[in-house]
Every structure is written in C-alpha cells, then in structure tokens.
Amino acid sequence: MIARHAAFLLPVVVATAAPVAAQRTPDAAGLERVVDRFNAARGAFDPAALAATLAPGFEEISPGGDIDDRARVLGFYAADQRRPAPAIERDERRTALRPGFGVTTERVSFRIARPDGTTATRSLRARYVGLRRGADWLLVSAQYTPIPSGPAPSTSAK
C-alpha cells in the first residue's frame, strides 16, 4: 500500500523541494533586491525603510545565537542607536527559489581594529528567507553564522 502511494508522491515531493535553476531569474532578482534594501536600511539606520522589507513575523538569529523578533530588530536600527560601523563587503551570493519562498545566502566580511593597532577580517555567512506576496518579496528570517578565521600565525621561533 505504501509503495503504491510512494510512487505517486515521490515526483510531487521532488518537484516541490527542487530549487529553481541556478540562473538569475526575475524572481531571484526580486528577492535579492529586497535583501539589498534590507541591508541598505540597516546601514542607514532607517527603521521605516527596514520595516518595509520585513514580514510581520520576521525573526533574526544573531551571530551569537540570540533570536530577535521584528520589533526588536527595528529597535536596533532606530536613528538614536547609530554607531560607527566598519565597511561591509558582500560576496558569494546565491539564491534558490521554491514555490512561494526563496533563500539568499552570502558571505559578509568586515575589518575590525585590534588593540595592537592591526586589523583583522571577520566574515559571517548570512542567510535570508523571503516570502513572495504577489509580485513582492518580504523577509521572514535572517540568520548570521560566524565563519571561523584561519589559525593565527605562529609567533614562536622554530
């Protein structure tokens, strides 16, 4: 009985789970534009522009593992919360679409000053999940995972 239903359901499950081809489609470009608007609004500390990119149930997982809801995220980017921030570089972007939603993943890198005056590059893997509403996209989730740095150079003489 199960085998008979599995033969019918397997193509449906595979078709539903398979991402759209890797080529950049208009739908992928639309999701990437909302990700870009989200990041621009964060950089400008513009909560109104940020709110326009977020679905009502939006949640963000910080690099430290905290789960922040939409209201808290908007509060982080209020104009009075603005602090100097390093320049951000984004690369390795890829977007996968599925029926009704899509996922954009990219590497986010920035340089930080060390106490000794040198700088170090830190990178995160950022993942954004967007929900399609008609022709528009809204983000329902963002997650930031630190990418481990390579081993520190050895300072001992050999």
Coordinates of all heavy atoms in Angstrom, one line a residue, residues 2-104:
I2 N 1.9 1.3 0.9 CA 2.7 2.5 1.0 C 3.5 2.6 -0.3 O 3.7 3.7 -0.8 CB 3.7 2.4 2.2 CG1 2.8 2.5 3.5 CG2 4.7 3.4 2.2 CD1 3.6 2.3 4.7
A3 N 4.0 1.5 -0.9 CA 4.8 1.6 -2.1 C 4.0 2.2 -3.2 O 4.5 3.0 -4.0 CB 5.3 0.2 -2.4
R4 N 2.7 1.8 -3.3 CA 1.9 2.3 -4.4 C 1.7 3.8 -4.3 O 1.8 4.6 -5.2 CB 0.5 1.6 -4.3 CG -0.4 2.0 -5.5 CD -1.6 1.1 -5.5 NE -2.1 0.9 -4.2 CZ -3.3 0.4 -3.9 NH1 -4.0 0.0 -4.9 NH2 -3.7 0.3 -2.7
H5 N 1.5 4.3 -3.0 CA 1.4 5.8 -2.8 C 2.7 6.5 -3.0 O 2.8 7.6 -3.4 CB 0.8 6.1 -1.4 CG -0.7 5.6 -1.3 ND1 -1.7 6.2 -2.1 CD2 -1.2 4.6 -0.7 CE1 -2.8 5.7 -1.8 NE2 -2.6 4.7 -0.9
A6 N 3.8 5.8 -2.6 CA 5.1 6.5 -2.7 C 5.5 6.7 -4.1 O 6.0 7.8 -4.4 CB 6.2 5.6 -2.0
A7 N 5.1 5.8 -5.0 CA 5.4 6.0 -6.4 C 4.7 7.3 -7.0 O 5.2 8.0 -7.8 CB 5.0 4.8 -7.2
F8 N 3.5 7.5 -6.4 CA 2.7 8.7 -6.8 C 3.3 10.0 -6.2 O 3.4 11.0 -6.8 CB 1.3 8.5 -6.5 CG 0.4 9.8 -6.6 CD1 0.1 10.2 -7.9 CD2 0.1 10.5 -5.6 CE1 -0.6 11.4 -8.1 CE2 -0.7 11.7 -5.7 CZ -1.0 12.1 -7.0
L9 N 3.6 9.9 -4.9 CA 4.0 11.1 -4.2 C 5.5 11.5 -4.4 O 5.8 12.7 -4.3 CB 3.8 10.9 -2.7 CG 2.4 10.8 -2.2 CD1 2.3 10.5 -0.7 CD2 1.6 12.1 -2.5
L10 N 6.3 10.6 -4.7 CA 7.7 10.9 -4.9 C 8.0 12.1 -5.9 O 8.7 13.0 -5.6 CB 8.6 9.7 -5.2 CG 10.1 9.9 -5.3 CD1 10.6 10.4 -3.9 CD2 10.8 8.7 -5.7
P11 N 7.4 12.0 -7.1 CA 7.6 13.1 -8.0 C 7.1 14.4 -7.5 O 7.6 15.5 -7.8 CB 6.8 12.7 -9.3 CG 6.7 11.2 -9.2 CD 6.6 10.9 -7.7
V12 N 6.0 14.4 -6.8 CA 5.4 15.6 -6.2 C 6.4 16.2 -5.2 O 6.7 17.4 -5.2 CB 4.0 15.3 -5.6 CG1 3.5 16.6 -4.8 CG2 3.1 14.9 -6.6
V13 N 6.9 15.4 -4.3 CA 7.8 15.8 -3.3 C 9.1 16.4 -3.9 O 9.6 17.5 -3.5 CB 8.2 14.7 -2.3 CG1 9.3 15.1 -1.3 CG2 6.9 14.3 -1.5
V14 N 9.6 15.7 -4.9 CA 10.9 16.1 -5.5 C 10.6 17.5 -6.3 O 11.4 18.4 -6.2 CB 11.4 15.1 -6.5 CG1 12.5 15.6 -7.4 CG2 11.9 13.9 -5.7
A15 N 9.5 17.6 -7.0 CA 9.2 18.8 -7.7 C 9.0 20.0 -6.7 O 9.4 21.1 -7.0 CB 8.0 18.6 -8.5
T16 N 8.4 19.7 -5.6 CA 8.2 20.8 -4.6 C 9.5 21.2 -3.9 O 9.8 22.4 -3.7 CB 7.2 20.3 -3.5 OG1 6.0 20.0 -4.2 CG2 7.0 21.4 -2.5
A17 N 10.4 20.3 -3.7 CA 11.7 20.6 -2.9 C 12.8 21.1 -3.8 O 13.7 21.7 -3.4 CB 12.1 19.3 -2.2
A18 N 12.7 20.8 -5.1 CA 13.8 21.1 -6.0 C 13.9 22.6 -6.2 O 12.9 23.3 -6.5 CB 13.6 20.4 -7.4
P19 N 15.1 23.3 -6.1 CA 15.2 24.7 -6.3 C 15.1 25.0 -7.8 O 15.4 24.1 -8.6 CB 16.6 25.0 -5.8 CG 17.3 23.7 -5.8 CD 16.3 22.6 -5.7
V20 N 14.7 26.2 -8.1 CA 14.7 26.7 -9.5 C 16.1 26.7 -10.0 O 17.0 26.9 -9.2 CB 14.0 28.1 -9.5 CG1 14.1 28.7 -10.9 CG2 12.5 27.9 -9.1
A21 N 16.3 26.6 -11.2 CA 17.7 26.6 -11.8 C 18.5 27.7 -11.3 O 18.0 28.8 -10.9 CB 17.6 26.7 -13.3
A22 N 19.8 27.5 -11.2 CA 20.7 28.4 -10.6 C 20.8 29.8 -11.3 O 21.3 30.7 -10.8 CB 22.1 27.8 -10.5
Q23 N 20.3 29.8 -12.6 CA 20.4 31.1 -13.3 C 19.6 32.2 -12.6 O 18.7 31.9 -11.9 CB 19.9 30.9 -14.7 CG 18.5 30.6 -14.8 CD 18.1 30.1 -16.2 OE1 18.9 29.6 -16.9 NE2 16.9 30.4 -16.6
R24 N 20.0 33.4 -12.8 CA 19.4 34.5 -12.1 C 18.1 34.8 -12.9 O 18.1 35.4 -14.0 CB 20.3 35.7 -12.1 CG 19.8 36.8 -11.2 CD 21.0 37.6 -10.7 NE 20.5 38.5 -9.7 CZ 20.4 39.8 -9.9 NH1 20.6 40.3 -11.0 NH2 19.9 40.6 -8.9
T25 N 16.9 34.5 -12.3 CA 15.6 34.8 -12.9 C 15.1 36.1 -12.3 O 15.6 36.6 -11.4 CB 14.7 33.6 -12.5 OG1 14.5 33.7 -11.0 CG2 15.2 32.3 -12.9
P26 N 14.1 36.6 -13.0 CA 13.5 37.8 -12.4 C 13.0 37.7 -11.0 O 13.1 38.6 -10.2 CB 12.3 38.1 -13.4 CG 12.7 37.5 -14.7 CD 13.5 36.3 -14.3
D27 N 12.5 36.5 -10.6 CA 12.1 36.2 -9.2 C 13.3 36.3 -8.3 O 13.2 36.8 -7.2 CB 11.3 34.9 -9.1 CG 9.9 34.9 -9.6 OD1 9.4 36.1 -9.8 OD2 9.4 33.9 -9.9
A28 N 14.4 35.7 -8.7 CA 15.6 35.7 -7.9 C 16.1 37.1 -7.7 O 16.5 37.5 -6.6 CB 16.7 34.8 -8.5
A29 N 16.0 37.9 -8.8 CA 16.5 39.3 -8.7 C 15.6 40.1 -7.8 O 16.1 40.9 -7.0 CB 16.5 39.9 -10.1
G30 N 14.3 39.8 -7.8 CA 13.4 40.5 -6.9 C 13.7 40.2 -5.4 O 13.7 41.1 -4.6
L31 N 14.0 38.9 -5.1 CA 14.4 38.6 -3.7 C 15.7 39.2 -3.3 O 15.8 39.8 -2.3 CB 14.5 37.1 -3.6 CG 14.9 36.5 -2.2 CD1 14.1 37.1 -1.0 CD2 14.9 35.0 -2.2
E32 N 16.6 39.2 -4.3 CA 17.9 39.8 -4.0 C 17.8 41.3 -3.8 O 18.5 41.9 -3.0 CB 18.9 39.5 -5.1 CG 19.3 38.0 -5.1 CD 20.2 37.6 -6.2 OE1 20.6 38.5 -7.0 OE2 20.5 36.4 -6.3
R33 N 16.9 42.0 -4.5 CA 16.6 43.4 -4.3 C 16.1 43.7 -2.9 O 16.5 44.7 -2.3 CB 15.7 44.0 -5.4 CG 16.4 44.3 -6.7 CD 15.5 45.1 -7.6 NE 14.2 44.5 -7.9 CZ 14.1 43.6 -8.9 NH1 15.1 43.3 -9.7 NH2 12.9 43.0 -9.2
V34 N 15.2 42.9 -2.4 CA 14.7 43.1 -1.0 C 15.8 42.9 0.0 O 15.9 43.6 1.0 CB 13.4 42.3 -0.7 CG1 13.7 40.9 -0.3 CG2 12.6 43.0 0.4
V35 N 16.7 41.9 -0.2 CA 17.8 41.7 0.6 C 18.7 43.0 0.6 O 19.2 43.4 1.7 CB 18.6 40.4 0.2 CG1 20.0 40.4 0.9 CG2 17.8 39.2 0.5
D36 N 19.0 43.5 -0.6 CA 19.8 44.7 -0.7 C 19.1 45.9 0.0 O 19.8 46.7 0.7 CB 20.0 45.0 -2.2 CG 21.0 44.0 -2.8 OD1 21.7 43.3 -2.1 OD2 20.9 44.0 -4.1
R37 N 17.8 46.0 -0.1 CA 17.1 47.1 0.5 C 17.1 47.0 2.1 O 17.3 47.9 2.8 CB 15.6 47.2 0.1 CG 15.5 47.7 -1.3 CD 14.1 48.1 -1.8 NE 13.0 47.7 -0.9 CZ 12.2 46.7 -1.1 NH1 12.3 45.9 -2.2 NH2 11.2 46.4 -0.3
F38 N 17.0 45.7 2.5 CA 17.1 45.4 4.0 C 18.5 45.8 4.5 O 18.6 46.5 5.5 CB 16.9 43.9 4.1 CG 17.2 43.3 5.5 CD1 16.4 43.4 6.5 CD2 18.4 42.6 5.7 CE1 16.7 42.9 7.8 CE2 18.7 42.1 6.9 CZ 17.9 42.2 8.0
N39 N 19.5 45.5 3.8 CA 20.9 45.8 4.3 C 21.2 47.3 4.1 O 21.8 47.9 5.0 CB 21.9 45.0 3.5 CG 21.9 43.6 4.0 OD1 21.9 43.3 5.2 ND2 21.9 42.6 3.1
A40 N 20.7 48.0 3.1 CA 20.8 49.4 3.0 C 20.1 50.1 4.1 O 20.6 51.1 4.7 CB 20.3 49.9 1.6
A41 N 18.9 49.7 4.5 CA 18.1 50.3 5.5 C 18.8 50.1 6.9 O 18.9 51.0 7.7 CB 16.7 49.7 5.6
R42 N 19.4 48.9 7.1 CA 20.2 48.7 8.3 C 21.4 49.6 8.4 O 21.7 50.3 9.4 CB 20.7 47.2 8.4 CG 19.5 46.3 8.6 CD 19.9 44.8 8.5 NE 21.0 44.6 9.5 CZ 22.1 43.8 9.2 NH1 22.2 43.2 8.0 NH2 23.0 43.6 10.1
G43 N 22.1 49.8 7.3 CA 23.3 50.6 7.2 C 23.0 52.1 7.4 O 23.8 52.8 8.0
A44 N 21.8 52.5 7.0 CA 21.3 53.9 7.1 C 20.6 54.1 8.4 O 20.2 55.3 8.7 CB 20.4 54.3 5.9
F45 N 20.4 53.1 9.2 CA 19.6 53.2 10.4 C 18.3 53.9 10.1 O 17.9 54.9 10.8 CB 20.4 53.9 11.5 CG 21.4 53.1 12.2 CD1 22.6 52.7 11.6 CD2 21.2 52.5 13.5 CE1 23.5 51.9 12.1 CE2 22.1 51.7 14.1 CZ 23.3 51.3 13.4
D46 N 17.6 53.3 9.2 CA 16.3 53.8 8.7 C 15.2 52.7 9.0 O 14.9 51.9 8.2 CB 16.4 54.1 7.2 CG 15.1 54.7 6.7 OD1 14.0 54.7 7.3 OD2 15.2 55.2 5.5
P47 N 14.6 52.8 10.2 CA 13.6 51.8 10.6 C 12.4 51.7 9.7 O 11.8 50.7 9.5 CB 13.3 52.1 12.1 CG 13.7 53.5 12.3 CD 14.8 53.8 11.3
A48 N 12.0 52.9 9.1 CA 10.8 52.8 8.2 C 11.1 52.0 7.0 O 10.3 51.2 6.5 CB 10.4 54.3 7.9
A49 N 12.3 52.3 6.4 CA 12.7 51.5 5.2 C 12.9 50.1 5.5 O 12.6 49.2 4.8 CB 13.9 52.2 4.6
L50 N 13.5 49.8 6.7 CA 13.7 48.4 7.1 C 12.4 47.7 7.3 O 12.2 46.6 6.9 CB 14.5 48.4 8.5 CG 14.9 47.1 9.0 CD1 15.8 46.3 8.0 CD2 15.7 47.3 10.3
A51 N 11.4 48.4 7.9 CA 10.1 47.7 8.2 C 9.4 47.4 6.9 O 8.7 46.3 6.8 CB 9.2 48.7 9.0
A52 N 9.7 48.1 5.8 CA 9.1 47.8 4.5 C 9.6 46.5 3.9 O 9.0 46.0 2.9 CB 9.3 49.0 3.6
T53 N 10.7 46.0 4.4 CA 11.3 44.8 3.9 C 10.9 43.5 4.7 O 11.2 42.4 4.3 CB 12.8 44.9 3.8 OG1 13.4 44.9 5.1 CG2 13.3 46.1 3.0
L54 N 10.3 43.7 5.9 CA 10.1 42.6 6.8 C 8.7 42.2 6.9 O 7.8 43.0 7.0 CB 10.6 43.1 8.2 CG 12.0 43.6 8.4 CD1 12.3 44.0 9.8 CD2 13.0 42.6 7.9
A55 N 8.5 40.9 6.9 CA 7.1 40.3 7.1 C 6.8 40.5 8.6 O 7.7 40.7 9.4 CB 7.2 38.8 6.8
P56 N 5.5 40.5 8.9 CA 5.1 40.7 10.3 C 5.7 39.7 11.3 O 6.1 40.1 12.4 CB 3.6 40.5 10.3 CG 3.2 40.8 8.9 CD 4.3 40.4 8.0
G57 N 6.0 38.5 11.0 CA 6.6 37.5 11.9 C 8.1 37.4 11.8 O 8.6 36.4 12.2
F58 N 8.8 38.4 11.2 CA 10.2 38.3 11.0 C 11.0 38.0 12.3 O 10.7 38.5 13.3 CB 10.7 39.6 10.4 CG 12.2 39.7 10.2 CD1 12.7 39.2 9.0 CD2 13.0 40.2 11.2 CE1 14.1 39.2 8.8 CE2 14.4 40.2 11.0 CZ 15.0 39.7 9.8
E59 N 12.0 37.1 12.1 CA 12.9 36.8 13.2 C 14.3 36.8 12.6 O 14.5 36.4 11.5 CB 12.6 35.4 13.8 CG 11.4 35.3 14.6 CD 11.3 34.0 15.3 OE1 11.8 33.0 14.8 OE2 10.6 33.9 16.3
E60 N 15.2 37.2 13.5 CA 16.7 37.3 13.1 C 17.4 36.5 14.2 O 17.2 36.6 15.4 CB 17.1 38.7 13.1 CG 18.6 38.9 12.7 CD 19.0 40.4 12.7 OE1 18.8 41.0 11.6 OE2 19.5 40.9 13.7
I61 N 18.4 35.7 13.7 CA 19.3 35.0 14.6 C 20.6 35.6 14.5 O 21.2 35.6 13.4 CB 19.3 33.4 14.3 CG1 17.9 32.8 14.4 CG2 20.3 32.7 15.2 CD1 17.8 31.4 14.0
S62 N 21.1 36.2 15.6 CA 22.4 36.9 15.6 C 23.5 35.9 15.5 O 23.4 34.7 15.7 CB 22.5 37.7 16.8 OG 22.8 36.9 18.0
P63 N 24.7 36.4 15.2 CA 25.9 35.6 15.2 C 26.2 34.9 16.6 O 26.8 33.8 16.7 CB 27.1 36.5 14.9 CG 26.4 37.7 14.2 CD 25.1 37.8 14.8
G64 N 25.7 35.5 17.7 CA 25.8 34.9 19.0 C 24.7 33.9 19.3 O 24.7 33.3 20.4
G65 N 23.7 33.8 18.4 CA 22.6 32.8 18.7 C 21.4 33.4 19.2 O 20.4 32.7 19.5
D66 N 21.3 34.7 19.5 CA 20.1 35.3 20.0 C 19.0 35.3 18.9 O 19.3 35.5 17.8 CB 20.4 36.7 20.5 CG 21.3 36.8 21.6 OD1 21.3 35.9 22.5 OD2 22.1 37.8 21.7
I67 N 17.8 35.1 19.4 CA 16.6 35.2 18.4 C 15.9 36.5 18.7 O 15.5 36.8 19.8 CB 15.7 34.1 18.6 CG1 16.4 32.7 18.4 CG2 14.5 34.2 17.7 CD1 15.6 31.5 18.7
D68 N 15.9 37.4 17.7 CA 15.3 38.7 17.9 C 14.1 38.8 17.0 O 14.1 38.5 15.8 CB 16.3 39.8 17.5 CG 17.5 39.8 18.4 OD1 17.3 39.7 19.6 OD2 18.6 39.8 17.9
D69 N 12.9 39.3 17.5 CA 11.7 39.4 16.7 C 11.8 40.7 15.9 O 12.7 41.5 16.1 CB 10.5 39.3 17.6 CG 10.3 40.4 18.6 OD1 11.0 41.5 18.5 OD2 9.5 40.2 19.5
R70 N 10.8 40.9 15.1 CA 10.7 42.1 14.2 C 10.8 43.4 15.0 O 11.6 44.3 14.6 CB 9.4 42.0 13.5 CG 9.2 43.1 12.4 CD 7.9 42.9 11.7 NE 7.8 43.7 10.5 CZ 7.4 44.9 10.4 NH1 7.1 45.6 11.5 NH2 7.4 45.5 9.2
A71 N 10.1 43.6 16.1 CA 10.1 44.8 16.8 C 11.5 45.1 17.4 O 12.0 46.2 17.4 CB 9.1 44.8 17.9
R72 N 12.1 44.1 17.9 CA 13.5 44.3 18.5 C 14.5 44.6 17.4 O 15.3 45.5 17.6 CB 13.9 43.0 19.2 CG 15.2 43.2 20.0 CD 15.3 42.1 21.0 NE 16.6 42.5 21.7 CZ 17.1 41.7 22.6 NH1 16.5 40.6 23.0 NH2 18.2 42.1 23.2
V73 N 14.4 44.0 16.2 CA 15.3 44.3 15.1 C 15.1 45.8 14.7 O 16.1 46.5 14.5 CB 15.1 43.3 14.0 CG1 15.8 43.8 12.7 CG2 15.6 41.9 14.3
L74 N 13.9 46.2 14.6 CA 13.6 47.6 14.2 C 14.2 48.5 15.2 O 14.7 49.6 14.9 CB 12.1 47.8 14.0 CG 11.5 47.1 12.8 CD1 10.0 47.2 12.8 CD2 12.1 47.6 11.5
G75 N 14.1 48.2 16.5 CA 14.7 49.0 17.6 C 16.2 49.1 17.5 O 16.7 50.2 17.8
F76 N 16.8 48.1 17.0 CA 18.3 48.1 16.9 C 18.7 49.2 15.9 O 19.8 49.8 16.0 CB 18.9 46.8 16.4 CG 18.8 45.6 17.3 CD1 18.7 44.4 16.8 CD2 18.7 45.8 18.7 CE1 18.6 43.3 17.6 CE2 18.7 44.7 19.5 CZ 18.6 43.4 19.0
Y77 N 17.9 49.5 14.9 CA 18.2 50.4 13.9 C 17.5 51.7 13.9 O 17.5 52.5 13.0 CB 18.0 49.7 12.5 CG 18.9 48.5 12.4 CD1 18.5 47.2 12.6 CD2 20.3 48.8 12.1 CE1 19.4 46.2 12.6 CE2 21.2 47.7 12.1 CZ 20.7 46.4 12.3 OH 21.6 45.4 12.2
A78 N 17.0 52.1 15.1 CA 16.5 53.4 15.3 C 17.7 54.4 15.2 O 18.8 54.1 15.5 CB 15.9 53.6 16.7
A79 N 17.4 55.6 14.7 CA 18.4 56.6 14.5 C 19.3 56.9 15.7 O 20.5 57.1 15.6 CB 17.8 57.9 14.0
D80 N 18.7 56.9 16.9 CA 19.5 57.2 18.1 C 20.4 56.0 18.5 O 21.2 56.1 19.4 CB 18.6 57.6 19.2 CG 17.7 56.4 19.7 OD1 17.4 55.5 18.9 OD2 17.1 56.5 20.8
Q81 N 20.3 54.9 17.8 CA 21.2 53.7 18.1 C 22.4 53.7 17.2 O 23.2 52.8 17.3 CB 20.4 52.4 17.9 CG 19.2 52.3 18.9 CD 19.7 52.2 20.4 OE1 20.6 51.5 20.7 NE2 19.1 53.0 21.2
R82 N 22.5 54.6 16.3 CA 23.5 54.6 15.3 C 24.9 54.7 15.9 O 25.1 55.5 16.8 CB 23.3 55.7 14.3 CG 24.3 55.6 13.1 CD 24.0 56.6 12.0 NE 24.6 56.1 10.8 CZ 24.1 56.3 9.6 NH1 23.0 56.9 9.5 NH2 24.7 55.8 8.6
R83 N 25.8 53.8 15.5 CA 27.2 53.8 16.0 C 28.1 53.6 14.7 O 27.7 53.1 13.7 CB 27.5 52.6 16.9 CG 26.5 52.4 18.1 CD 26.9 53.4 19.2 NE 26.0 53.2 20.4 CZ 24.9 53.8 20.6 NH1 24.4 54.6 19.7 NH2 24.2 53.5 21.7
P84 N 29.3 54.1 14.8 CA 30.3 53.8 13.7 C 30.4 52.3 13.4 O 30.4 51.5 14.3 CB 31.6 54.4 14.2 CG 31.3 55.3 15.3 CD 30.0 54.8 16.0
A85 N 30.4 52.0 12.2 CA 30.5 50.6 11.8 C 31.5 50.5 10.6 O 31.7 51.4 9.9 CB 29.1 50.1 11.3
P86 N 32.2 49.3 10.6 CA 33.1 49.1 9.5 C 32.4 49.0 8.2 O 31.2 48.6 8.1 CB 33.8 47.8 9.9 CG 32.8 47.1 10.8 CD 32.0 48.2 11.5
A87 N 33.2 49.2 7.1 CA 32.7 48.9 5.8 C 32.4 47.4 5.6 O 33.1 46.6 6.1 CB 33.7 49.4 4.7
I88 N 31.3 47.1 4.9 CA 30.9 45.7 4.8 C 31.1 45.3 3.3 O 30.8 46.1 2.4 CB 29.4 45.6 5.1 CG1 29.1 46.0 6.5 CG2 28.9 44.2 4.8 CD1 29.6 45.1 7.6
E89 N 31.6 44.2 3.1 CA 31.8 43.6 1.8 C 30.9 42.3 1.7 O 30.9 41.6 2.7 CB 33.2 43.2 1.5 CG 34.2 44.4 1.4 CD 35.6 43.9 1.3 OE1 35.8 42.8 0.8 OE2 36.5 44.7 1.6
R90 N 30.2 42.2 0.6 CA 29.3 41.0 0.4 C 29.8 40.3 -0.9 O 30.0 40.9 -1.9 CB 27.9 41.5 0.3 CG 27.4 42.1 1.5 CD 26.0 42.7 1.4 NE 25.7 43.6 2.5 CZ 25.4 43.1 3.7 NH1 25.3 41.8 3.9 NH2 25.1 43.9 4.7
D91 N 29.8 39.0 -0.8 CA 30.2 38.2 -2.0 C 29.6 36.8 -1.8 O 28.9 36.5 -0.8 CB 31.7 38.2 -2.3 CG 32.5 37.6 -1.2 OD1 32.0 37.1 -0.2 OD2 33.8 37.6 -1.3
E92 N 29.9 35.9 -2.7 CA 29.5 34.5 -2.7 C 28.0 34.4 -2.6 O 27.5 33.5 -1.9 CB 30.2 33.7 -1.6 CG 31.7 33.6 -1.8 CD 32.3 32.8 -0.7 OE1 31.7 32.2 0.1 OE2 33.6 32.8 -0.6
R93 N 27.2 35.3 -3.2 CA 25.8 35.3 -3.1 C 25.2 34.2 -4.0 O 25.6 34.0 -5.2 CB 25.2 36.6 -3.6 CG 23.7 36.7 -3.5 CD 23.2 38.0 -3.8 NE 23.1 38.9 -2.6 CZ 22.5 40.1 -2.6 NH1 22.0 40.6 -3.8 NH2 22.5 40.8 -1.5
R94 N 24.2 33.5 -3.5 CA 23.5 32.5 -4.3 C 22.0 32.6 -3.8 O 21.8 32.8 -2.6 CB 24.0 31.1 -4.2 CG 24.2 30.6 -2.8 CD 24.8 29.2 -2.7 NE 26.1 29.2 -3.2 CZ 26.9 28.2 -3.2 NH1 26.5 27.0 -2.8 NH2 28.1 28.2 -3.7
T95 N 21.1 32.4 -4.7 CA 19.7 32.4 -4.4 C 19.0 31.2 -4.9 O 19.3 30.8 -6.1 CB 19.0 33.7 -5.0 OG1 19.6 34.8 -4.3 CG2 17.5 33.7 -4.8
A96 N 18.2 30.6 -4.1 CA 17.4 29.4 -4.6 C 15.9 29.7 -4.3 O 15.6 30.2 -3.3 CB 17.8 28.2 -3.8
L97 N 15.1 29.4 -5.3 CA 13.7 29.7 -5.2 C 12.9 28.4 -5.1 O 13.3 27.4 -5.7 CB 13.2 30.4 -6.5 CG 13.9 31.8 -6.7 CD1 13.4 32.4 -8.0 CD2 13.6 32.7 -5.5
R98 N 11.9 28.4 -4.4 CA 10.9 27.3 -4.2 C 9.5 27.9 -4.3 O 9.4 29.1 -4.2 CB 11.2 26.6 -2.9 CG 12.5 25.9 -3.0 CD 13.1 25.4 -1.7 NE 14.3 24.7 -1.8 CZ 15.5 25.2 -1.9 NH1 15.7 26.5 -1.9 NH2 16.6 24.4 -2.0
P99 N 8.5 27.1 -4.5 CA 7.2 27.7 -4.6 C 6.8 28.5 -3.4 O 6.7 28.1 -2.3 CB 6.3 26.4 -4.7 CG 7.2 25.4 -5.3 CD 8.5 25.6 -4.7
G100 N 6.7 29.8 -3.7 CA 6.2 30.8 -2.6 C 7.3 31.4 -1.8 O 7.0 32.3 -1.0
F101 N 8.5 30.8 -1.8 CA 9.6 31.4 -1.0 C 10.9 31.2 -1.6 O 11.1 30.5 -2.6 CB 9.6 30.9 0.4 CG 10.1 29.5 0.6 CD1 11.4 29.3 1.0 CD2 9.3 28.4 0.3 CE1 11.9 28.0 1.1 CE2 9.8 27.1 0.4 CZ 11.1 26.9 0.9
G102 N 11.9 31.9 -1.1 CA 13.3 31.8 -1.6 C 14.3 32.0 -0.5 O 13.9 32.6 0.5
V103 N 15.5 31.6 -0.8 CA 16.6 31.8 0.2 C 17.8 32.4 -0.5 O 18.2 31.9 -1.6 CB 17.0 30.4 0.7 CG1 18.1 30.5 1.7 CG2 15.8 29.7 1.4
T104 N 18.3 33.4 0.0 CA 19.5 34.1 -0.5 C 20.6 33.9 0.6 O 20.3 34.2 1.8 CB 19.3 35.6 -0.8 OG1 18.4 35.7 -1.9 CG2 20.6 36.2 -1.2

